[in-house]
Amino acid sequence: MVVASESGISYEEVTPGTILNDAIGNTTIVASNLVDGTHPYFLNSSDSPGKSLINVSFDGTSYENWRRGVLISLSAKNKLGFINGSCQKPVENSPLFAQWRRCNDMVITWMLNSLSNDIAESVIYSQTAEELWVELEQRNG
């Protein structure tokens, strides 16, 4: 498998089973582009787009309570970086791009599922979970 250069780090051709350091430098990725369970890009088999982060939908009231619930849930899932900007989108030719996009989309769907229909419709075209979060913070924070 040949992987691309990212953030000044060049990757050479690797064989399955080879372990590479990711761009952050604190986690490893397996050459097959799978990430271990501690990496923010990891999705558990029980994670699905149909799930809500919290039991209460945000309907325009009690934003701080909804916000706190979302932060706790995303922290528990190791996905806070998708809304606070610490999990930046890799370059498109990165071996991690598809996994980042998949996790970003999952976080977006979880957040949309925790919003009333009217509010969800107003932010559904957000491209990133961070963009969606910032929009809600600006409107309600």
Side-chain angles (χ1 to χ4, degrees), residues 62-117:
S62 301
Y63 178 74
E64 288 302 319
N65 292 338
W66 175 86
R67 180 183 187 277
R68 173 85 171 126
V70 169
L71 291 173
I72 291 168
S73 293
L74 288 178
S75 175
K77 292 178 171 292
N78 196 24
K79 302 291 183 269
L80 273 179
F82 286 90
I83 64 168
N84 71 16
S86 64
C87 276
Q88 291 291 310
K89 179 169 74 171
V91 294
E92 289 194 26
N93 65 350
S94 165
L96 292 176
F97 178 76
Q99 289 171 287
W100 176 90
R101 184 181 58 213
R102 187 171 166 234
C103 287
N104 178 69
D105 289 346
M106 187 69 74
V107 173
I108 288 173
T109 61
W110 290 336
M111 291 176 64
L112 290 172
N113 290 340
S114 71
L115 300 170
S116 70
N117 288 340

